[in-house]
Amino acid sequence: MRPADTSLPPMTREDAVGDAFIFDAVRTPRGRGKDSGSLYTVRPVELFATTLRALRDRNGLDTAQVEDVVAGCVTQTGDQGQCLARTAVLEAGYDQGVPGVTVNRFCGSGLEAVNHAAALVAAGYSDLVVAGGVESMSRVPMGSDGGALSDPAFVLGVGSVPQGISADLLATLRGITREDADAFAVESQARCARAQAAGHFDRSLVPVTDLSGLVILDRDEHPRPDTTLETLAKLKPSFEMMGTMFGLDAITRKAWPQVEAIRHIHHAGNSSGIVDGAAAVLIGSADKGRALGLRPRARIRSIAMVGDEPILMLDGPIPASRKALAKAGMEIGDIDRFEVNEAFATVPITFMRTLGVDHARLNVDGGAIALGHPLGATGAMLLGTCLDALEREGLGTGLVTLCIGGGMGIATIIERV
């Protein structure tokens, strides 16, 4: 008897084993992270639920097909305590069979959620996952969850300082001046203003509404388009007194004895803004996308996470990006657009100088200095911003990366399909 023909038709790129595709990405506006901010009255579970509903409604999604929801959230206490991902699933009216998990990789949590979901899909364990994140910094202040990083025993024993001190150390080591940082900040504000005027954020942005459907916020409210070098020059360094009066500079120099004195150059105008916001990304396999009529916008080509020296802390995006590039078999010149989180101006400046990246390819629509950094959501927001830019400009590949507290870095490379 002739054996049965078990051959398969040639695989297309979309059919390749191990691929995770991005079908859609949405985010809320970023509201100022204080009690006078527009989103202060909105519970964080409702912020994240807003993005879940948007993914469902924009894509005609049968939520029973979603196998998990992964949410990044950094300060998991108070309104953001328990498992916010699962409560948001219920708040959003998703099928009750959809589980949820909340993850914390500090500032990289939103991108960690995306990478977690992509890994589940690429491994074949799940076919459709929603990933994203949320942070209500007005309602749940940063650091209010406590932890070892602020414990004097850990600070003195292992070595840990606030990120602002680390940013000033990085600037000192890399020869980045106050003028360099302020010029970068002014450009971030200008790019954001141009992007808002041109509608670059419109595809991903979903308004936050109240129970009656009235709009609470439909536009990022943190940007200050009138920022100039002159206005920034009037601001005092935010971390100089902390470093000198509380002995943190001395702890830093103990780890970095070659530094005679730390030049404190960062302030509120060249550092990321404290804001509220949420984001969500729909990730799945090619087969599931076809079954549900979803068109893939991009595939996740590689992901990488690294640990780094915990005092310097903020140059983690460099080794993380190198690792992601190596895993993808790519070089830095193969990337069309970069999103490097502007936690402090010195972070993207160091990234560009070290890896030889032109500013014209990086943070083309501004960054967290202008828009703000809602800790648990930022990584997912940057992914959507990068994808929108690639589609708008007809480009192919993007890299998203963030520095992370405690000395870590995270990076993700995406490719349009």
Side-chain angles (χ1 to χ4, degrees), residues 10-25:
M11 283 199 306
T12 66
R13 175 65 262 172
E14 292 185 11
D15 292 323
V17 174
D19 276 345
F21 291 91
I22 300 170
F23 297 113
D24 202 5

Side-chain angles (χ1 to χ4, degrees), residues 188-327:
S188 179
Q189 294 282 0
R191 291 183 177 199
C192 176
R194 291 194 294 268
Q196 285 186 315
H200 289 180
F201 302 134
D202 292 354
R203 177 167 186 176
S204 295
L205 205 58
V206 295
V208 179
T209 60
D210 63 16
L211 293 175
S212 61
L214 296 176
V215 173
I216 297 173
L217 187 65
D218 61 1
R219 181 180 175 87
D220 298 301
E221 68 176 354
H222 186 270
R224 295 178 173 84
D226 57 347
T227 300
T228 65
L229 289 174
E230 290 71 27
T231 59
L232 294 185
K234 298 176 183 178
L235 300 177
K236 294 181 179 180
S238 297
F239 308 102
E240 185 171 22
M241 183 177 294
M242 182 187 299
T244 56
M245 293 188 63
F246 296 99
L248 296 176
D249 282 3
I251 293 174
T252 302
R253 289 197 302 273
K254 182 179 179 181
W256 294 86
Q258 66 270 46
V259 177
E260 293 184 7
I262 296 174
R263 294 195 305 272
H264 292 282
I265 70 166
H266 289 93
H267 50 74
N270 60 24
S271 306
S272 57
I274 295 173
V275 294
D276 304 333
V281 183
L282 185 60
I283 298 170
S285 66
D287 284 345
K288 178 60 75 169
R290 278 192 289 267
L292 298 179
L294 300 170
R295 183 182 68 83
R297 297 173 62 187
R299 73 181 180 101
I300 295 178
R301 185 154 174 177
S302 73
I303 63 176
M305 291 73 68
V306 299
D308 205 6
E309 200 281 315
I311 293 287
L312 184 58
M313 193 187 310
L314 300 179
D315 65 349
I318 295 168
S321 297
R322 285 174 168 157
K323 186 175 181 180
L325 288 165
K327 286 181 175 292

